[in-house]
Amino acid sequence: MAKRKRKRTTTSRKKKINRFAFLSNERVHFLTGVVIAFIGIFLLLAITSFFFTGAADQSKVLNRSFFELIRAGNTGVDNWTGAGGAFMAELLVNGWFGIFSVLIPLFMIYIGLRIMKVSDFSFMKALFITTFGLVCGSIASAFILGRLFPNSHVNWGGAHGLQIEQILESSIGWPGVALLILLFLVILAVILRKSSIYTIQKSLVNSKPSFFRQEPEEETFEEDEEAFEPITEKKPGLISSLFNRIKKRFHADEEEDNEPTTEDEITHDRNEDPAVTFTFSPETTGLQTPLQHSATQGDFEVIVPKEDEPAHPGELVSETPVKPEQEEQTGLQEDYDPRKDLSAFRFPTMNLLKVYNTADRAVDMNEQNENKEKIIHTLRNYGIEITSIKATVGPTITLYEIVPQAGVRISKIRNLEDDIALSLSALGIRIIAPMPGKGTIGIEVPNKEPQIVSMQSVISSRRFQECDYDLPVALGKTITNEVFIFDLSKMPHLLVAGATGQGKSVGLNAIITSLLYKKHPSEMKMVLIDPKMVEFNIYSTIEKHYLAKLPDEEKAIITDVTKVTQTLNSLTKEMDDRYELLMKAHVRTLKEYNDKFVKRRLNPEKGHRYMPYIVVVIDEFGDLIMTAGKEIEMPIARIAQKARAVGMHMVIATQRPTTNIITGTIKANFPARMAFRVTSQIDSRTILDMSGANQLIGRGDMLFSQGSTLIRIQCAFVDTPEVEEIAQYIGKQNGYDHAFALPEVITETETSPGAVDLNDRDPLFEEAARLIVVHQQGSTSLIQRKFSIGYNRAGRLMDQLEAAGIVGATQGSKPRDVFIADEYSLEKLINSLQ
């Protein structure tokens, strides 16, 4: 019996709690708005009819109450809305605020439409217009229209306007009332339209007497002089400072106008029933420092991060800096200038990059409200209540931060990832539970209309232009709309992975473009390895400026797998040579070494030289591993382990992040990783050691990992024509005589297994050489037939002829090339071998 009683009490409590649940129903809201809007339309129609029929109805309506008019039945009232409408119109117009009483039904119609979620006009602005119009408009109507039409049945200012106007006229006179009405008009114009401030300023300046104006020459000179002065050095006068305060106040009023009122609040079905208010904060720089907070616990705060401030037009193009140490030296030997050989070099300009007009795109508040409601309802369906929710709108992703009630397991929310994605109809969401350094849970939802992050907006930002990194790379923008920049020399190597068509090649071009905009050709060289043969071919025009290659190579862009192995071995030789120079100079890093060399503390006659940074960019690393295997992996592992201190850094990209391509040796030496969208969770764990890359939306959406932290970034978009124009702009300028030469690596073939020893030649070597030269056909089967020997011996003879330089390498089923044209040249070669 006791158990039954407990059940009854719990059910009764639920009934008490759910008694007012209908108030949060969307139908109730909509119908309430419809009723209020219809009442406003009825009153508007009654007031409109009053101006035409009020004179006839005035004798019937006056001195009677509302109920007496209704009981009288058909009293011959001419008003379109009957006796009730005639009574309300007489009360509102003649008894209250005159003709401006029409603002009351209009405000009721607006309230109804807002509750129906049809109108998004600012509530504060509508309330101000209504209140200001009723008070000031009634006074102005009583003063102006009351004098023009004194015998009308309409009390133009109403009882309120007539009494206030009489008090004002007796206290300040009719000129003072006229000036007061003019002041009302100026205040209303300034608050409703910002451009009216400048219109009033311009009209006042143009109407100044001639003796207050300056001469034309002096005015032009001062304006030109002020145009070159920084803004902070100007000292505003009293009038300008007053206008600045008016502007600031106007901006503050605009921000307050964007705040909805209690009609926009949504009541939650909880014990405390806290309201979730919609707060709009247009100017903030991040999640930690929002501009505006609401006082209610459980506020829904939408943060629209501010764009990074672009650099001054004069600062956009980096010029060759003049070091202050050089200017201060008097009588001493000048420092070595590595840029002296290309002192006329100019960095690429901003007009080479395309501008996308997406900065002024407004945030869709209806979308944010809908997503918020769907998240709350989905979590509530599974018994999860939240205390607050906050949204940060990024270029392509919106981050919703929620705080669950005490006692809710984080794993329970993490398991609802697919359910939330289903309710939002999103491509894919990502749940961060919990967010590092915060007591919140993050839900990343793609925007319906993503914005393009242009390379121009990233490169021209003040943050990139003023950074002093050794190898600055601007990738794109984060969720908080901040330009993301990192120093490649501190990474020190970068691993890039992503499926086909997800933005991997664009990301590599963004890395290279960032370096080209900041580093002088004397300070950085690049080794570009492109097995696809088409991705990096557009950079061939900057060969004599930025690229490095082997001395005997024709092309600076390396596409052949055999050349890749030679180049990587050459880079390991360059690394060892640099370490020897660092040891002789008693320094530990390349930066310290170059500083010593610039100060002329190292003697070039002893082998010391200025050493630029070397950035190795490898695309389609998976294809190289499949074709060359260990020959590629071993030098890459050596460079990744040791080359950081000598200024050599690698960027490796692959579209197949499997374990047989990204091995443990490579992952251990590539702590910085960029992951674009991949197809499976296994691939995401391979590249990032955690899931997340499989939940990206593609088209440049990526995760950047350095250690244990993940940062979601929208990669900057740089198109192929933009890269071509940048490369051509650099290629047209004077460069070095040749590309940066990498050291040659002499491989001792005698020490390799299966090597050919020409000192132990076959007895048929000379006869086989003559046979090949006479027939000009390097074929193993020809030797086998002519000398009646087996295939093994004929193959060894062909290997000896190749080692001697008589024939070329094998070409599959085709005969080998013969390098000796006649028997006379052959005899000279044979005599040299003996």
Side-chain angles (χ1 to χ4, degrees):
M1 295 296 292
K3 292 183 179 178
R4 291 180 182 175
K5 288 181 179 178
R6 289 178 182 175
K7 289 183 180 179
R8 288 175 183 173
T9 54
T10 54
T11 54
S12 62
R13 287 178 182 176
K14 289 182 179 178
K15 289 180 180 178
K16 290 180 181 178
I17 294 173
N18 297 330
R19 186 172 297 170
F20 300 98
F22 74 95
L23 294 176
S24 61
N25 193 343
E26 189 174 356
R27 289 184 180 179
V28 175
H29 291 174
F30 186 83
L31 291 177
T32 304
V34 170
V35 171
I36 296 175
F38 269 82
I39 293 174
I41 294 173
F42 175 80
L43 292 178
L44 181 63
L45 190 61
I47 294 175
T48 305
S49 176
F50 174 80
F51 295 121
F52 301 99
T53 63
D57 294 340
Q58 201 165 27
S59 60
K60 305 169 186 176
V61 173
L62 289 177
N63 302 323
R64 285 188 181 185
S65 65
F66 179 74
F67 296 101
E68 290 176 353
L69 284 174
I70 295 176
R71 288 196 209 100
N74 188 9
T75 56
V77 174
D78 295 335
N79 194 287
W80 304 336
T81 56
F87 179 84
M88 293 301 299
E90 176 71 25
L91 177 65
L92 292 176
V93 177
N94 289 342
W96 286 8
F97 299 100
I99 61 173
F100 277 86
S101 295
V102 74
L103 294 176
I104 296 176
L106 291 177
F107 184 73
M108 293 182 67
I109 296 172
Y110 160 75
I111 291 295
L113 295 177
R114 188 169 182 86
I115 295 176
M116 295 164 60
K117 295 184 179 179
V118 175
S119 174
D120 56 353
F121 187 76
S122 172
F123 175 79
M124 296 301 296
K125 186 174 287 187
L127 182 62
F128 172 79
I129 293 174
T130 304
T131 307
F132 191 86
L134 290 175
V135 176
C136 302
S138 62
I139 299 174
S141 300
F143 181 74
I144 299 174
L145 298 179
R147 296 174 183 272
L148 295 178
F149 308 102
N151 299 323
S152 175
H153 70 282
V154 180
N155 189 356
W156 300 104
H160 170 269
L162 183 61
Q163 293 179 7
I164 300 298
E165 190 270 336
Q166 290 176 356
I167 295 173
L168 291 175
E169 189 171 355
S170 62
S171 59
I172 60 176
W174 70 265
V177 178
L179 290 176
L180 187 63
I181 294 173
L182 182 62
L183 177 62
F184 290 159
L185 295 176
V186 172
I187 293 175
L188 185 64
V190 169
I191 292 178
L192 291 183
R193 294 193 63 183
K194 181 180 178 181
S195 59
S196 59
I197 298 176
Y198 308 110
T199 304
I200 297 173
Q201 289 176 345
K202 187 176 180 180
S203 60
L204 291 176
V205 170
N206 294 336
S207 61
K208 283 193 301 185
S210 58
F211 56 83
F212 280 118
R213 298 181 184 177
Q214 297 177 351
E215 294 297 325
E217 292 84 6
E218 295 179 0
E219 186 175 358
T220 306
F221 176 78
E222 288 187 1
E223 287 179 356
D224 294 338
E225 191 177 21
E226 290 176 357
F228 291 95
E229 290 180 357
I231 298 175
T232 55
E233 294 180 359
K234 292 185 179 181
K235 297 181 179 179
L238 179 61
I239 297 178
S240 60
S241 63
L242 180 60
F243 279 122
N244 289 336
R245 292 182 180 179
I246 293 175
K247 291 179 184 178
K248 291 180 181 178
R249 182 59 188 169
F250 179 76
H251 289 305
D253 291 340
E254 281 189 339
E255 293 171 4
E256 292 175 359
D257 290 343
N258 290 324
E259 296 182 6
T261 56
T262 55
E263 283 79 10
D264 214 31
E265 296 175 353
I266 299 171
T267 305
H268 288 281
D269 184 18
R270 289 199 296 265
N271 295 334
E272 299 176 358
D273 290 335
V276 178
T277 312
F278 187 83
T279 307
F280 178 69
S281 304
E283 293 182 358
T284 183
T285 57
L287 295 177
Q288 294 83 359
T289 58
L291 179 69
Q292 190 172 354
H293 291 282
S294 179
T296 309
Q297 183 185 8
D299 288 345
F300 175 46
E301 182 179 3
V302 176
I303 299 175
V304 184
K306 193 176 181 180
E307 290 279 346
D308 274 20
E309 184 181 0
H312 191 272
E315 303 170 357
L316 289 178
V317 182
S318 303
E319 299 292 341
T320 304
V322 179
K323 297 184 178 180
E325 292 84 0
Q326 297 180 8
E327 299 176 355
E328 295 176 359
Q329 290 179 347
T330 54
L332 299 176
Q333 190 176 10
E334 290 185 355
D335 290 347
Y336 172 76
D337 185 10
R339 300 187 177 189
K340 189 173 182 180
D341 294 338
L342 294 181
S343 58
F345 178 81
R346 291 293 176 266
F347 288 84
T349 57
M350 287 298 115
N351 55 11
L352 301 176
L353 297 173
K354 188 176 179 181
V355 179
Y356 297 89
N357 296 323
T358 58
D360 298 332
R361 184 179 298 177
V363 177
D364 189 355
M365 294 303 169
N366 293 328
E367 176 187 352
Q368 304 303 324
N369 260 330
E370 290 176 3
N371 290 343
K372 174 201 65 173
E373 286 299 311
K374 291 176 180 177
I375 291 173
I376 293 173
H377 291 163
T378 303
L379 295 176
R380 186 175 297 162
N381 291 337
Y382 292 92
I384 300 174
E385 296 289 346
I386 62 174
T387 59
S388 68
I389 180 169
K390 178 173 67 174
T392 303
V393 184
T396 58
I397 299 295
T398 298
L399 174 64
Y400 295 90
E401 292 184 68
I402 63 174
V403 179
Q405 280 187 348
V408 177
R409 292 181 177 272
I410 294 179
S411 59
K412 192 175 181 181
I413 299 178
R414 192 185 291 115
N415 294 333
L416 297 176
E417 189 171 27
D418 296 335
D419 300 282
I420 297 175
L422 178 63
S423 66
L424 295 175
S425 302
L427 295 175
I429 68 169
R430 177 170 166 261
I431 294 181
I432 311 170
M435 293 195 67
K438 299 182 180 180
T440 59
I441 296 174
I443 302 176
E444 294 177 345
V445 181
N447 296 335
K448 291 182 180 179
E449 295 183 3
Q451 297 183 11
I452 297 177
V453 177
S454 64
M455 198 69 197
Q456 192 271 344
S457 64
V458 174
I459 295 295
S460 63
S461 65
R462 183 175 296 274
R463 178 173 297 184
F464 180 76
Q465 292 294 328
E466 294 180 354
C467 72
D468 55 353
Y469 294 157
D470 294 328
L471 291 174
V473 175
L475 280 183
K477 293 185 178 181
T478 61
I479 293 179
T480 57
N481 229 3
E482 296 178 352
V483 176
F484 182 80
I485 305 173
F486 68 91
D487 190 357
L488 184 59
S489 63
K490 301 291 177 60
M491 291 297 104
H493 309 290
L494 182 62
L495 186 61
V496 184
T500 303
Q502 303 303 321
K504 187 173 69 282
S505 298
V506 175
L508 293 179
N509 286 330
I511 294 173
I512 297 174
T513 303
S514 302
L515 296 173
L516 294 180
Y517 266 90
K518 286 292 284 187
K519 302 305 292 183
H520 193 269
S522 62
E523 300 169 348
M524 182 201 67
K525 301 297 178 182
M526 290 187 293
V527 176
L528 303 181
I529 300 175
D530 182 19
K532 287 197 297 188
M533 305 181 186
V534 293
E535 290 295 338
F536 295 152
N537 190 38
I538 51 180
Y539 296 106
S540 58
T541 56
I542 62 173
E543 174 182 344
K544 295 182 179 181
H545 298 82
Y546 284 102
L547 300 187
K549 66 175 184 177
L550 294 172
D552 56 346
E553 291 296 325
E554 296 181 1
K555 298 180 180 180
I557 311 297
I558 305 164
T559 57
D560 190 1
V561 178
T562 58
K563 305 296 183 183
V564 172
T565 306
Q566 297 176 11
T567 303
L568 292 176
N569 290 329
S570 176
L571 288 171
T572 57
K573 179 69 167 55
E574 173 72 14
M575 177 185 68
D576 296 334
D577 294 344
R578 290 190 172 199
Y579 267 112
E580 291 182 2
L581 293 176
L582 262 65
M583 180 184 64
K584 294 178 181 178
H586 303 289
V587 294
R588 298 177 61 184
T589 62
L590 179 74
K591 192 173 183 180
E592 296 175 2
Y593 178 88
N594 284 338
D595 289 342
K596 265 192 170 184
F597 189 85
V598 168
K599 298 294 184 182
R600 299 190 182 274
R601 295 167 59 187
L602 299 175
N603 190 356
E605 296 180 357
K606 295 183 179 180
H608 292 290
R609 55 189 170 89
Y610 185 86
M611 294 185 291
Y613 287 96
I614 297 179
V615 179
V616 184
V617 184
I618 303 177
D619 194 12
E620 297 299 337
F621 178 68
D623 182 67
L624 296 179
I625 290 292
M626 292 173 63
T627 54
K630 294 293 181 182
E631 297 181 5
I632 297 290
E633 184 179 354
M634 293 309 295
I636 287 179
R638 283 202 64 205
I639 295 172
Q641 288 172 352
K642 296 177 55 180
R644 172 183 181 177
V646 292
M648 298 172 63
H649 308 278
M650 302 193 73
V651 179
I652 294 178
T654 179
Q655 64 178 357
R656 296 181 63 248
T658 53
T659 52
N660 59 340
I661 293 176
I662 304 177
T663 61
T665 306
I666 294 177
K667 286 180 65 176
N669 295 286
F670 283 77
R673 299 165 194 173
M674 284 170 50
F676 293 88
R677 186 181 183 184
V678 294
T679 55
S680 65
Q681 188 176 2
I682 298 175
D683 292 342
S684 177
R685 292 186 181 276
T686 304
I687 179 67
L688 295 175
D689 295 330
M690 63 183 72
S691 61
N694 56 314
Q695 299 165 329
L696 301 175
I697 62 174
R699 299 179 63 85
D701 188 20
M702 70 174 182
L703 291 173
F704 184 85
S705 171
Q706 186 182 8
S708 59
T709 59
L710 275 181
I711 303 174
R712 192 163 186 175
I713 303 168
Q714 178 62 36
C715 183
F717 178 70
V718 52
D719 205 358
T720 303
E722 300 176 59
V723 179
E724 288 179 350
E725 290 184 6
I726 294 171
Q728 291 175 2
Y729 181 87
I730 297 174
K732 291 178 181 179
Q733 303 184 47
N734 292 330
Y736 296 101
D737 296 335
H738 50 77
F740 185 81
L742 297 175
E744 295 186 21
V745 179
I746 302 174
T747 58
E748 298 181 0
T749 56
E750 291 83 359
T751 60
S752 60
V756 178
D757 188 5
L758 292 178
N759 294 324
D760 186 15
R761 297 191 295 271
D762 191 279
L764 297 176
F765 175 81
E766 295 183 7
E767 296 182 18
R770 292 188 181 94
L771 176 68
I772 294 299
V773 171
V774 170
H775 288 81
Q776 288 293 307
Q777 182 180 1
S779 174
T780 305
S781 59
L782 176 64
I783 298 175
Q784 191 177 356
R785 291 196 311 271
K786 292 296 182 180
F787 297 107
S788 301
I789 58 177
Y791 181 78
N792 292 337
R793 186 179 180 183
R796 285 195 299 272
L797 276 170
M798 188 61 69
D799 291 340
Q800 292 176 2
L801 293 173
E802 180 184 355
I806 298 174
V807 296
T810 179
Q811 300 179 0
S813 60
K814 296 180 180 180
R816 297 174 184 244
D817 295 330
V818 181
F819 296 149
I820 305 300
D822 49 24
E823 294 187 17
Y824 177 74
S825 302
L826 178 63
E827 290 297 331
K828 291 178 62 177
L829 178 62
I830 294 175
N831 292 333
S832 64
L833 293 177
Q834 296 175 355

